[in-house]
């Protein structure tokens, strides 16, 4: 008879807790669109590389070594090994900057996703409002009349039973003088001014203040708070009377369901609603006395048996104060075209008050509250301000404001949310609901997942009950260093909603930077494999050895690194950066720059052939020895292409630095300006100066020593390898050098004007108004 038999129904990941852990450890995979489009881009570049190899085979007909060599180089230049790095360097820099702002990231790939957030869901308590609730007072029920007594901010002026409930009905523990437990429980216990005896006779011993006259309260049994029940309970022994009492604490809706109907005042709902409208956090107590029960036998009762037949005791009220910068953060998020939504476990009325205070609900907006007792019941809609029932909400949602969106906001409770999900009505109403109240952890996940169907969704919370939602969202940021931060991709030591603003600012800048680097490298590959490679094949020429090292080692790498140093914009822009590699903005930017570079490269040869000092390089691609490529640069064709392409390479890094919407203005990227200025000065010096040591090192504007002496430039004091050409030099006359320099600057100017006025300027703005892309439009 002493044995207890139990049937284990679920273990491991099959249990409720196991399912929770499993979803935290293995969240649904999130695919970002540029990862999907990158495969298409790779295929396009591979096809282009095959075309280049075909041209190589056609022009180098008798030299299979040259075909393989130049074909392999074309593939390597088109599919640069730096392309993957270009797409992640922005997120790496953003992660470093976030760390300096005390925002820590454990999943850097989510930074790119954060740059596209359109809906941000936030918990209320500890996130929008201050972490600790402030004790506001209590409102007891008069035992004689059964009606509410006047509200009292002084706990000592309340009834004896109410004071006992406040002092004992919690799960606070004392660890070396520090109170441990739920923040609400701690604030409640502090309000009682009681202390915990370190050597209890039973489970706990509460020493109440001497002026209260309550004496010692022994906690004989405790049932911890459970979200599913929305309540907790204790059995206490009053040392002064020797009687056992049961106290139940929970949400005022739950305690109303637990307590005997005769003990609930007629104006109970109105009293709770009035406090909630003031932004208060309201809990309720119920009580009953256990007669003729020995403390040793309390363990024989179930929780339901102990809680049944309790009488309503009163309301415990806390003030929910808004954080100082929450309203500013919500305004900034709305300016950045980000819809903000509240998901809270608190009452709907309290949530609506906070939403109005912080600006989440616009001023003068009508709010309709939908509630039902159980998920099986019909939803009853009520106007929060007039308290009048609303039979049909559709006419209200049809009233549009100047922004084209309904002037009415919706709020729903947990049971009503379940009802909407079960009937499928949630799809039509989801983006009109601003406040989701009385939400359990599983409800929060379902709410997040519903929003994720429509847009990139972020979740911001601070407690353990937000952990699953933080993990399920596209982007989760925990304003905590406790359990919520373990599962969230982002966590902030600064527990402010401004951390969300900073995350979006840095993420948008990181996304824009990654695409800027990607654009620069694509343009680099097109220059290399476009006119440069075709000229190499057709004229049997090549860039010099040192110039290759300058382009790959200094220009491409140096500019890519400095592009990433551009800081974020000061404010969130009303648009999000593109995430489509094959989107109109990227195609127009890359296509425009590439076509201009090809055009100017072709015209540079037209200009060259018109010069009376020009002598053609008399070699055919099929007859020359392409394996000795370093000997093929000592001619005018190679020299002209070297100068034109070098300036194009330098311009690639500068032209993608525009874009003040998401990044700081171009002139604030000082590192890029310094590197760009140095490279421009260096290349201009090689082009404009007479034969000198620098130019001869790159075999540009130089020649064999004896030839330079005949041309009147004097004998060089440095060593020059004999030139592999009949002329013995490739020195461009001074007048023509300035013409070519101006021509290169014109090429750069054209590309910059295209980027400034078409891609980032008035032309884009005009097209955005005339032919907007199909995007989800939501009320901010």
């Amino acid at each position: 008879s002493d044995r207890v038999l139990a049937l284990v129904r679920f273990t491991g990941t099959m249990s409720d807790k196991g399912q929770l852990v499993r979803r935290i450890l293995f969240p649904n995979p999130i695919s970002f669109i540029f990862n999907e489009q990158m495969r298409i881009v790779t295929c396009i570049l591979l096809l282009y590389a095959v075309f280049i190899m075909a041209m190589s085979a056609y022009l180098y007909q008798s030299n299979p070594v040259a075909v393989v060599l130049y074909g392999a180089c074309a593939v390597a230049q088109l599919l640069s090994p730096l392309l993957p790095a270009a797409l992640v360097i922005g997120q790496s820099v953003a992660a470093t900057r976030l760390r300096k702002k005390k925002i820590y990231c454990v999943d850097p790939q989510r930074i790119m996703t954060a740059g596209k957030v359109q809906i941000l869901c936030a918990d209320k308590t500890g996130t929008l409002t201050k972490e600790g609730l402030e004790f506001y007072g209590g409102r007891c029920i008069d035992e004689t009349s059964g009606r509410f007594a006047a509200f009292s901010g002084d706990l000592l002026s309340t009834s004896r039973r109410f004071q006992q409930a406040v002092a004992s009905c919690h799960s606070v523990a004392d660890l070396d003088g520090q109170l441990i437990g739920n923040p609400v429980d701690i604030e409640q216990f502090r309000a009682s001014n009681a202390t915990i005896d370190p050597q209890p006779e039973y489970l706990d011993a509460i020493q109440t203040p001497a002026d209260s006259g309550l004496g010692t309260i022994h906690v004989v049994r405790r049932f911890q708070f459970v979200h599913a029940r929305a309540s907790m309970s204790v059995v206490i022994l009053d040392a002064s009377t020797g009687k056992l009492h049961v106290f139940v604490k929970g949400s005022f809706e739950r305690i109303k369901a637990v307590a005997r109907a005769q003990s609930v005042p007629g104006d109970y709902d109105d009293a709770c609603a009035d406090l909630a409208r003031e932004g208060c956090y309201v809990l309720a107590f119920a009580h009953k006395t256990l007669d003729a029960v020995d403390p040793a036998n309390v363990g024989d009762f179930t929780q339901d048996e102990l809680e049944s037949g309790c009488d309503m005791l009163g309301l415990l009220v806390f003030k929910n104060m808004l954080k100082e910068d929450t309203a500013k953060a919500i305004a900034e998020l709305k300016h950045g075209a980000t819809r903000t939504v509240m998901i809270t476990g608190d009452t709907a009325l309290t949530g609506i008050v906070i939403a109005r205070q912080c600006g989440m609900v616009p001023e003068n907006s009508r709010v309709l509250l939908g509630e039902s007792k159980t998920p099986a019941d019909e939803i009853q809609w009520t106007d929060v301000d007039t308290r009048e029932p609303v039979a049909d909400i559709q006419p209200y949602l049809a009233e549009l404001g100047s922004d084209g969106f309904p002037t009415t906001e919706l709020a729903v409770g947990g049971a009503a949310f379940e009802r909407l999900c079960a009937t499928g009505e949630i799809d039509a109403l989801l983006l009109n609901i601003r406040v989701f109240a009385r939400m359990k952890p599983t409800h929060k996940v379902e709410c997040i997942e519903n929003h994720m169907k429509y847009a990139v969704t972020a979740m911001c919370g601070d407690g353990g009950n937000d952990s699953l939602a933080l993990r399920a969202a596209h982007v989760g940021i925990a304003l905590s260093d406790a359990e919520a931060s373990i599962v969230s991709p982002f966590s902030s030591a600064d527990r402010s909603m401004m951390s969300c603003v900073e995350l979006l600012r840095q993420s948008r800048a990181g996304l824009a930077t990654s695409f800027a680097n990607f654009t620069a490298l694509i343009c680099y590959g097109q220059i290399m494999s476009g006119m440069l490679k075709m000229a190499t094949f057709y004229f049997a020429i090549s860039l010099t050895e040192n110039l290759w090292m300058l382009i790959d080692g200094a220009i491409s790498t140096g500019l890519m690194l400095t592009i990433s140093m551009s800081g974020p914009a000061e404010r969130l822009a009303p648009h999000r950066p593109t995430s489509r590699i094959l989107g109109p903005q990227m195609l127009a930017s890359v296509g425009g720059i590439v076509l201009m570079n090809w055009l100017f490269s072709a015209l540079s040869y037209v200009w060259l052939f018109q010069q009376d000092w020009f002598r053609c390089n008399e070699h055919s691609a099929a007859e020359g020895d392409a394996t000795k490529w370093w000997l093929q640069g000592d001619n005018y064709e190679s020299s002209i292409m070297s100068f034109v392409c070098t300036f194009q390479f330098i311009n690639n890094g500068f032209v993608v630095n525009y874009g003040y919407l998401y990044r700081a203005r171009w002139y604030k990227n000082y590192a890029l300006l310094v590197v760009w200025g140095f490279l421009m000065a260096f290349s201009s010096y090689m082009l404009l100066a007479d034969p000198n040591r620098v130019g001869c090192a790159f075999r540009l504007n130089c020649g064999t020593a004896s030839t330079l002496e005949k041309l009147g430039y004097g004998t060089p004091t440095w060593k020059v390898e004999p030139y592999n050409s009949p002329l013995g030099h490739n020195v461009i006359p001074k007048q023509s050098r300035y013409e070519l320099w101006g021509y290169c600057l014109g090429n750069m100017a054209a590309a910059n004007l295209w980027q400034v006025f078409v891609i980032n300027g008035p032309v884009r703005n005009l097209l955005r108004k005339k032919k907007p892309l199909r995007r989800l439009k939501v009320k901010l």
Side-chain angles (χ1 to χ4, degrees):
S1 60
D2 295 336
R3 294 182 180 181
V4 176
L5 297 179
L7 174 63
V8 178
R9 297 181 60 198
F10 301 108
T11 61
T13 57
M14 298 302 294
S15 64
D16 290 343
K17 186 67 73 174
Q19 290 285 348
L20 174 64
V21 174
R22 182 182 178 85
R23 295 183 72 171
I24 289 174
L25 293 178
F26 306 103
N28 294 329
I30 295 175
S31 177
F32 206 45
I33 191 166
F34 73 66
N35 291 325
E36 300 173 2
Q37 293 187 345
M38 187 64 190
R39 301 186 186 97
I40 302 175
V41 172
T42 303
C43 292
I44 294 173
L45 294 177
L46 280 173
L47 290 175
Y48 186 64
V50 171
F51 168 74
I52 297 297
M53 291 191 72
M55 292 300 299
S56 172
Y58 173 73
L59 294 172
Y60 288 108
Q61 297 175 10
S62 60
N63 198 331
V65 177
V67 173
V68 175
L69 174 66
Y70 284 107
C73 288
V75 174
Q77 290 160 356
L78 278 169
L79 296 171
S80 171
L82 293 177
L83 278 177
L87 286 175
V88 300
I89 193 170
Q91 69 188 33
S92 300
V93 173
T96 302
R97 289 175 176 158
L98 287 170
R99 194 179 304 116
K100 293 179 181 178
K101 299 287 187 177
K102 298 183 179 180
I103 301 173
Y104 305 101
C105 175
V106 296
D107 188 359
Q109 292 183 352
R110 298 292 181 108
I111 292 177
M112 298 294 97
T113 310
K116 296 292 291 181
V117 167
Q118 189 174 1
I119 300 175
L120 188 142
C121 303
D123 182 35
K124 180 181 70 67
T125 307
T127 303
L128 299 173
T129 60
K130 293 181 179 179
E131 295 177 26
L133 296 172
E134 298 179 8
F135 175 72
Y136 190 49
R139 192 172 187 188
C140 299
I141 295 176
D142 186 272
E143 295 181 4
T144 304
S145 64
R147 303 179 63 182
F148 274 117
F151 179 85
S152 174
D154 181 14
L155 188 61
L156 291 177
S157 64
T158 60
S159 68
R160 176 185 176 87
R161 291 286 175 261
F162 191 83
Q163 294 181 53
Q164 286 180 325
V166 173
S168 63
C169 195
H170 54 74
S171 56
V172 176
D174 189 326
L175 181 63
D176 298 328
Q178 182 179 1
L179 297 179
I180 306 296
N182 183 280
V184 178
D185 283 353
I186 292 175
E187 180 66 17
Q188 169 191 325
F189 183 66
R190 284 175 175 164
S192 69
N193 292 321
T195 58
I196 299 176
D197 192 332
Q199 296 180 335
E201 183 179 347
Y202 295 94
L203 190 62
D204 266 329
I206 309 297
Q207 300 295 339
T208 59
D211 55 352
S212 68
L214 300 178
T216 302
I217 301 174
H218 298 284
V219 179
V220 179
R221 194 175 183 189
R222 176 186 293 124
F223 294 95
Q224 299 286 355
F225 178 81
V226 178
H227 286 287
R229 299 178 68 95
S231 66
M232 69 164 295
S233 56
V234 293
V235 180
I236 65 112
L237 173 64
D238 187 346
S240 61
T241 63
K243 288 187 177 182
L244 290 173
H245 300 273
V246 176
F247 291 110
V248 187
K249 180 185 73 174
S251 65
F252 59 81
E253 299 99 332
R254 171 64 181 174
I255 301 304
K256 180 183 178 182
V258 170
R260 293 189 310 116
Q262 304 92 307
S263 66
V264 179
D267 60 344
Y268 179 84
D269 290 335
D270 292 338
C272 295
D274 290 340
L275 289 169
R277 286 188 179 89
E278 295 177 24
C280 296
Y281 184 83
V282 183
L283 297 174
F285 286 117
H287 160 265
K288 79 172 181 180
T289 303
L290 288 179
D291 295 319
V293 177
D294 189 275
N297 298 328
V298 170
D300 297 337
F301 294 89
T302 65
Q303 184 174 3
D304 290 333
E305 289 173 341
L306 290 172
E307 293 181 359
S308 64
C310 289
D311 292 328
M312 184 66 69
L313 187 59
L315 304 176
L316 181 65
V317 186
F318 300 89
K319 259 295 187 184
N320 219 189
M321 305 301 291
L322 200 67
K323 290 181 180 178
E324 290 79 2
D325 56 0
T326 296
K328 179 182 177 182
I330 297 298
E332 188 65 22
L333 289 168
K334 287 192 172 187
H335 182 269
T338 305
R339 174 176 170 82
T340 52
V341 176
M342 182 190 297
I343 306 178
T344 178
D346 204 349
T347 64
L349 292 175
T350 303
I352 292 168
V353 170
I354 297 300
R356 281 176 164 168
Q357 289 178 356
C358 69
M360 188 178 288
V361 172
E363 292 183 6
N364 303 321
S365 292
R366 181 189 291 109
V367 180
L368 302 183
L369 172 60
E371 291 183 306
S372 61
K373 293 182 179 180
T374 68
D377 296 329
E378 291 293 330
I379 299 175
Q380 304 298 321
W381 295 95
T382 308
D383 189 313
V384 170
D385 299 309
T386 63
R387 305 186 188 183
E388 295 179 357
V390 176
D392 185 7
I393 63 172
Q394 293 305 322
Y396 293 91
L397 297 179
E399 297 177 6
L400 305 182
S402 58
D403 58 358
F405 293 101
T407 57
T408 299
E409 299 278 1
L410 302 181
V412 295
F417 174 74
E418 282 192 54
R419 171 75 180 181
L420 291 173
C421 292
T423 59
E425 298 176 73
I426 189 66
D427 294 330
L429 298 178
L430 182 69
L431 299 180
N432 290 311
I433 301 175
R434 184 71 68 172
V435 177
F436 296 85
R438 288 301 187 208
M439 300 289 277
K440 301 174 184 176
T442 52
H443 289 160
K444 292 186 178 184
V445 174
E446 193 169 0
C447 184
I448 289 292
E449 290 176 343
N450 275 293
H451 281 94
M452 289 169 65
K453 296 176 184 177
Y454 296 94
V456 178
T457 303
M459 173 66 189
C460 180
D462 72 313
N465 60 339
D466 301 317
S467 297
L468 193 54
L470 290 169
R471 190 64 170 171
H474 289 122
V475 177
I477 177 168
L479 305 185
S480 169
D481 53 5
E483 65 270 22
S485 65
I486 299 175
V487 301
S488 178
F490 300 93
S491 59
S492 174
D494 181 14
R495 302 177 182 182
S496 162
M497 279 294 291
M498 288 303 294
S499 296
C500 296
V501 177
E502 187 63 29
L503 173 61
L504 266 58
R505 257 193 353 122
Q506 296 290 354
S507 297
R508 290 184 180 186
L511 182 58
T513 296
S514 291
F515 273 73
N517 271 316
F518 185 82
T519 302
L521 284 176
I522 290 293
C523 291
Y524 161 87
Q526 294 303 314
I527 294 171
M528 280 289 191
S529 59
M531 284 303 300
L532 177 57
K533 195 63 68 180
M534 292 302 175
T536 299
F537 295 160
Y538 184 78
F539 294 112
I541 62 175
S542 176
L543 303 186
T544 64
E545 184 178 2
N546 288 340
L547 188 58
W548 282 115
M549 290 190 288
L550 174 68
I551 292 171
D552 287 338
I555 298 177
S556 298
T557 306
L559 289 176
M560 191 179 79
L561 290 174
T562 52
I563 288 170
S564 63
M565 295 183 183
S566 179
E570 294 182 1
R571 296 193 67 186
L572 291 175
H575 305 283
R576 283 162 291 281
T578 182
S579 60
R580 297 176 179 269
I581 301 175
L582 297 176
Q585 181 176 336
M586 284 290 292
L587 291 177
S589 177
V590 173
I593 294 172
V594 168
L595 289 176
M596 285 182 193
N597 288 339
W598 283 358
L599 178 63
F600 275 88
S601 297
L603 292 177
S604 67
Y605 279 115
V606 175
W607 172 84
L608 176 65
F609 294 155
Q610 295 173 349
Q611 306 305 311
D612 53 6
W613 45 264
F614 168 65
R615 179 175 177 179
C616 179
N617 179 37
E618 298 174 352
H619 292 86
S620 71
E623 296 175 1
D625 188 358
T627 59
K628 298 180 180 180
W629 58 270
W630 58 88
L631 299 177
Q632 297 182 350
D634 298 338
N635 48 72
Y636 282 120
E637 290 91 341
S638 176
S639 181
I640 294 300
M641 186 56 63
S642 295
F643 283 122
V644 172
C645 288
T646 298
F647 280 100
Q648 289 177 352
F649 284 128
I650 295 172
N651 192 47
N652 281 344
F654 187 83
V655 77
V656 298
N657 193 46
Y658 297 112
Y660 63 91
L661 288 176
Y662 317 112
R663 296 179 293 164
R665 293 185 178 272
W666 64 270
Y667 52 80
K668 292 186 178 182
N669 190 345
Y670 306 117
L672 177 65
L673 293 180
V674 170
V675 172
W676 180 83
F678 169 77
L679 292 173
M680 282 293 296
F682 186 84
S683 301
S684 298
Y685 176 72
M686 283 198 300
L687 172 58
L688 299 176
D690 290 335
N692 56 80
R693 186 183 298 272
V694 176
C696 289
F698 291 89
R699 300 184 77 80
L700 297 172
N701 264 341
C702 192
T704 305
S706 58
T707 305
L708 292 178
E709 190 174 355
K710 291 178 183 179
L711 293 174
Y713 292 110
T715 305
T717 58
W718 55 90
K719 182 180 179 181
V720 180
E721 293 289 338
Y723 261 56
N724 181 39
S725 71
L727 284 176
H729 74 92
N730 58 4
V731 178
I732 303 173
K734 180 169 290 189
Q735 178 64 29
S736 297
R737 289 182 224 159
Y738 279 94
E739 290 179 10
L740 180 60
W741 185 65
Y743 183 82
C744 292
L745 294 183
N747 185 359
M748 298 176 69
N752 279 272
L753 289 173
W754 173 262
Q755 196 75 6
V756 170
F757 288 99
V758 177
I759 305 302
N760 296 320
V763 176
R764 183 190 66 173
N765 296 335
L766 179 63
L767 291 175
R768 180 174 279 167
K769 292 179 180 178
K770 296 290 185 181
K771 295 184 177 181
L773 295 176
R774 292 183 179 179
R775 291 192 176 98
L776 175 69
K777 295 182 178 181
V778 295
K779 185 175 183 179
L780 302 178

